[in-house]
Amino acid sequence: AKRWINIRKCYGNFYKVPRNQTKLTIMLENLGMSYDGRPHSGLDDSKNIARIAIRMLQDGCDLRVNERIHGGQLMTVSSSGPLEGAPAPQMPRYRN
């Protein structure tokens, strides 16, 4: 992966909170959620981050790639630039 969405950055920018308010447990708490699972478990952390991302989408956030690696260096991607890569994921459609 050379490009990704840093949820902490998106969360801070979208909800207008300082960086010290973007720790996983604080983000969940501010959204009225509790941490599910064991702290520092990679799988549980990922599930909780996904819950935050879903809530941000529901609140109208436009999640975009905001970080990338170029020449071994971490770079910030401008949020005003055009979208790159695959189209935004769609909610799954269930058969009746």
Side-chain angles (χ1 to χ4, degrees):
K2 293 185 179 184
R3 296 177 295 155
W4 60 91
I5 298 170
N6 182 327
I7 292 294
R8 289 179 68 183
K9 281 185 179 180
C10 289
Y11 178 94
N13 291 333
F14 184 69
Y15 294 112
K16 309 290 188 237
V17 298
R19 184 160 170 79
N20 66 355
Q21 294 291 306
T22 62
K23 292 181 181 174
L24 182 55
T25 54
I26 294 172
M27 290 188 292
L28 287 164
E29 183 180 304
N30 289 342
L31 294 173
M33 301 178 191
S34 58
Y35 187 92
D36 287 346
R38 293 176 296 126
H40 307 295
S41 160
L43 181 58
D44 291 337
D45 284 352
S46 298
K47 289 177 181 179
N48 284 289
I49 291 167
R51 291 173 54 221
I52 291 169
I54 290 167
R55 173 62 182 276
M56 291 175 66
L57 291 168
Q58 291 170 340
D59 288 348
C61 182
D62 184 17
L63 294 175
R64 294 176 180 230
V65 169
N66 58 10
E67 288 186 348
R68 68 185 178 105
I69 292 288
H70 181 71
Q73 297 293 316
L74 176 63
M75 317 256 320
T76 297
V77 175
S78 171
S79 61
S80 61
L83 292 174
E84 298 179 16
Q90 302 295 313
M91 294 301 288
R93 294 184 184 171
Y94 298 98
R95 292 186 221 168
N96 292 334

